[in-house]
Structure formats: C-alpha cells, structure tokens
Amino acid sequence: MSLWGGRFQDGSSAMFRTVNDSLPFDRVLASQDIRGSIAWARAIAKAGVLSQDEHQQLEEALKALLVKADAGELDFDASSEEDIHSFVEATLIEQLGDVARKLHTGRSRNDQVATDFRLWTREHVELLVEDVEAVIASLVGNADVNQDVILPGYTHLQRAQPVRYPHWCLAYVEMLKRDLSRLHDLKARLNQCPLGSGALAGTTYPIDRQAIAEELGFDSPCINSLDAVSDRDYVLELLFVASTSMMHLSRMAEDLIFYNSGEAGFIQLGDAVTSGSSLMPQKKNPDALELMRGKCGRVFGSLQALLVTMKGLPLAYNKDMQEDKEGLFDATNQWHICLRIACEVVDSIKLDSERCAKAAREGYANATELADYLVDKGIPFRTAHDISGRVVLDALEKKKAIEELTITELKVYSDVIEEDVYPVLQLEYLVNKRDILGGTGIKPVLAALENAKASFIK
Ligand code: ARG
C-alpha cells in the first residue's frame, strides 16, 4: 500500500512505477532508515504522540528489523513498496497495525531521506578513510624497502632529473593525505541532523531536535528546514573527493603503466594483478592499473550528473533529488575498489634497480649539475646553462654521456672545468645534493619517510 493513496482515485501506471520507485537502489539505506526511525519514535514519544507502551512496541519491532537489515535478511524483492521508507513503515504496520501507523507523525520522507543519506555518507566516509590510509601504508612500505633506488624523474615525459623511488612514492602519499583531509572536512560539515524539518517548513510537534541529533551521532540539528530537506552539498562533496582521489590514483596508474612497459622496464607487477592476452602468449598486461585509470570516467560522470541535476532546482524538495543516490553509490564503490586494488598493485611492485639507475644516468640528466658546477666556479648561471647545453650537444654527437667526455674535450667549452667535475656528475651525488626540505636527497626523503611511517604504519 502506498503512503499517499487517499487523494488518488486511480493507481499508478507500470511505467510510472518504473520511473518513480527507488526501492531497487535505496534499499541499501535500510539500516540508516531504521535507526532514524528509532530516534524519531523516541522523539515523538517524548512529545506525547506515543504512549510508553506504544513506544516500547515500536522500538522493539524496529530493533528486531535492524538486526535483520544488518544481517542482509530483509526480503525487498517480494515487496511492491515504492522506496525504503515505505518498505520499513509497511513492514512495521504488517506486524503491529495501528501503532505503526503513528510512526510517521510530524515527519516527512523529505527530512527522513535527508537524514538517512547523511548517515550513510558519514559511515562511508569513515570506511573510505581506512581505504585511503591503506594505500598510503602500501606506498610507504614499498618506499621503505626500496630506499636506495634512483630512477629518472620526468617533465614533458622527457627524462629531466633523477629522483629517489621513495620520493616518487611519497609524492602520491601527499596527494592521498589531501584526499584524507578533504574526507575529514566533509564529514565535519555534513554532520548536522535534518530530522524534525518535516516536509519543508519544520514540524508542529514539540520535538527535541537537539536530542535526536545527538542520538544519531550528529554534532547539531540543521538550522533551516528548507535547506535541510534540499541540501545535497555533502553528496557533491563526496563525489568531488572521490573524483579528485581517482584522478590521483589514475596518475599513479599512468606512471606505473609506463614504468612497467617494455621500454622503461623499471618495475615488474605481480601476476595476481595483471592478465595475459588470449592471442599473444608473451603478454602480461597491467589491467588493474588501466582500470584504475579507466574508472575515472564514471566517477567524474556522477559528479557532473548531480551538479546538473541540482542546478535548476527551486526550494525545497523535488523528486529530481532522488537521482542523487545511484551516482554516489556507484562512485564510492568504484573508488573503494580502486583503493583496495591499488594496495595490491603497490605491494606487488618489484623494482629493477639496475635498469632504473641506467635510465637515470642516460638522457643527460646531469646537465643541470654541470651548470651548477660552473656557477660554483664563478660563472653566471645563464652563461653556465649555455655552456652546459653546448657540452650536451657535443656529447650527443659523440654518442657519449657527459661524464664520458675527457677533460680536454670538456675544457673546449670552459677552462674552469677540472677533474673535480667527474664526481659532481655521478648519479648519487647529484641526487643527494638536493638536500633541501622537500627535495629528493637522502636526508629529506628519509625524514619524510619516517614521518609517514609514524603516521600510517600500524
Ligand atoms: N525516494 C525519495 C528520494 O530518494 C524519498 C523522498 C520522497 N519524498 C517525496 N516528497 N516524494 O528522494
């Protein structure tokens, strides 16, 4: 039986049910809906709407239903109810009759769904925080066992300057730390309780909104009833955080796909996170990474979809807003999956330190060092840059590295160059020279690694 049949003479069409019903997807809010109802029953009992006995009956039935919901034992498929709110109410009415018909006094599905969805979002933020922390722990763990590996750093996908592998790992740790802080921010902002806002204008019953908010773990009640029932900022915010974090995972995937390529050969990925080709027996494809990259499309799409849905909506609740759920359910699920697989991928990485170092040595990554060496000898940087560039050109023609040129060959470009140039051009030297806070030298990298270990390795 629908919750609103009295005013209607004809029933709904089958197609209307198809477009309107949300039980097929909002059933995942069962637990939140029941907990919200337990709080509401208590509030209306205190307000004198329910007798003590009626309240007790309702609360017992709701608690029993909660146990079933949490055990996944509710039979939604046998139900013809429109949404999760009607489902819970109908189930109670079937059990208790008229007592259950009192539960919706002073409440609307508008403040109900807003409360349920905030509870769901808050709980998922907590789970996602754990997922993000797990990826950070994997990156930190992998960085820790590969402290000495040096590989080329790139700009424009051209070998630019060598970096320590842990420095690369910790760059993604910084991005994920920002994702974590965004999750914490949004949790604090969403933590206000809409219940008691009614359909849009507040409720006439003397409800203690502060008490309901506290009971459901909110910091405070929402301030304005019109805003409370029509605000979906928290959904958009979580979609944005998911999108930004998926973008981070996708960039990491892109780096790793390249590192794993035959051309680079810096890393090997585990068999457990790669697949073969049905035709080419030699192939081992980085599918998990490609899917981390590929799934960005649908996650970004959900953010875009809800922004467009919300942009023209007048106050207060409109049914358009029912479209908020499937996108968030899918986006958070995909993000969760990608975070979990990212841990497995990172844990499986085996580095080829020889190949990394060889690639880092090639590509004239020490040209900046030569310029800095000249600066140390009193030559202005712009002139030093030009000299070093001409040395690179000469070395290129001779098919040699800079450090393979003899001192006589080097002196052609500047007679301040002496034998002491050779140690300066060595890989370890030039990496460790970047000893500044935030740089790729061993000291700052180890300090950052220690900090990350202290915060994220349990
Ligand atoms: N299923 C609806 C939603 O998700 C619940 C709120 C219905 N409110 C209403 N006035 N019809 O938004």
Side-chain angles (χ1 to χ4, degrees), residues 22 26 83 85 109-110 113 317 319 322 325:
S22 54
D26 68 14
D83 57 23
H85 325 294
R109 280 183 296 165
N110 298 352
V113 73
Y317 179 85
K319 202 55 170 280
Q322 181 167 285
K325 293 179 197 62

Side-chain angles (χ1 to χ4, degrees), residues 98-161:
D98 273 351
V99 179
R101 289 196 174 87
K102 295 187 175 184
L103 176 62
H104 209 56
T105 314
R107 182 176 74 169
S108 159
R109 280 183 296 165
N110 298 352
D111 58 351
Q112 200 178 350
V113 73
T115 305
D116 295 359
F117 208 22
R118 281 191 195 232
L119 288 174
W120 186 94
T121 304
R122 191 178 73 197
E123 286 155 25
H124 280 74
V125 164
E126 276 157 18
L127 297 174
L128 289 158
V129 162
E130 285 176 21
D131 291 340
V132 176
E133 285 177 347
V135 182
I136 295 179
S138 286
L139 282 164
V140 170
N142 201 253
D144 200 29
V145 293
N146 292 294
Q147 286 185 9
D148 296 326
V149 177
I150 294 173
L151 75 169
Y154 295 82
T155 60
H156 314 274
L157 210 51
Q158 306 274 316
R159 272 174 243 177
Q161 291 172 345

Side-chain angles (χ1 to χ4, degrees), residues 334-354:
Q334 296 307 323
W335 184 25
H336 162 75
I337 291 169
C338 288
L339 289 164
R340 301 312 308 187
I341 195 68
C343 292
E344 291 191 19
V345 171
V346 170
D347 291 344
S348 85
I349 291 174
K350 295 265 174 302
L351 283 145
D352 183 337
S353 55
E354 286 300 307

Side-chain angles (χ1 to χ4, degrees), residues 71-91:
E73 282 166 8
L74 296 179
D75 189 4
F76 299 112
D77 292 327
S79 167
S80 60
E81 294 301 330
E82 175 183 332
D83 57 23
I84 187 60
H85 325 294
S86 329
F87 175 90
V88 169
E89 203 175 317
T91 309

